[in-house]
Amino acid sequence: MPLLADLLDSIAANRVEIVDLTAPLSKDTPILQLPPPFANTINFSLEQISRYDEAGPNWYWNNIHTGEHTGTHVDAPVHWSSGKDGPDVSQLALRTLVAPAVVVDVSDRAVADPDYLLRIDDVRLWEAENGPLPAGGWVLLRTGWDRRSNDATRFLNADETGPHTPGIAAECARWLAEDTNLAGLGVETVGTDAGAAHGFDPPFPCHHYFLGAGKLGLTQLQNLARLPATGAVLVISPLPIVGGSGSPARVYALVER
Ligand code: MN
């Protein structure tokens, strides 16, 4: 059977499941909160144009107001100073957006310690159990943080010392970005970096190293618990915003059952 017909048959027969990894996009979608003097993005909102009324008797439509980095979204290399000569979000190679994904599950540790950081030894241990990281593919960091995503306060988890959310240690971020053939890093949190990463060396190391290496970031994923450690195919669909530094995206995984 031709490959794509086989795939469609498999989807119809539930031998391949389509898992939605996307957070719903609404005015309640949590957004990053930077401290002064930095500027912040806006909340997502709908502005109604008409709804079967005198402004449009038979049609309903809205303008949308959003930042590029709102909800489940892609960071393009040009988002960060280290990647400023890299591609914008309209220029991403499609083969990086339909690609294999593996899940590194640290949810047990992140539940116990909201500031938990993934280290190189954790990834080495994962590789010993699961095989090498996928060339041209994605590492998805499962922390269990998606359970908080419908509550902005718990999701951002900030106190007087700043946000406390799990992520990746600077040395591990450098190693994943520079010494592997990954396409990108996906996380469940509001950004690819840990909440405390403003104080790391360098600050925000996942942004610094991944985007500087021409790799991508993917945030606020959900349902990673429904993916196997290896074998899923990720389908990521950012809008081709010309000159854009990122874009909200619908993200699916294809999973063999
Ligand atoms: Mn972003």
Side-chain angles (χ1 to χ4, degrees), residues 69 73-75 79 190-191 207 219:
H69 298 257
H73 73 269
V74 172
D75 289 349
H79 176 46
V190 75
H207 285 83
T219 69

Side-chain angles (χ1 to χ4, degrees), residues 5 17 36 40 63 67 74 83 109 111 113 117 123 151 154 166 184 188 199 206-207 229 248 255:
E17 183 186 359
N40 276 296
N63 293 315
V74 172
R109 282 156 278 176
V111 163
D113 174 11
L117 299 178
V123 185
D151 179 337
R154 290 190 71 236
E188 297 171 340
C206 289
H207 285 83
V255 179

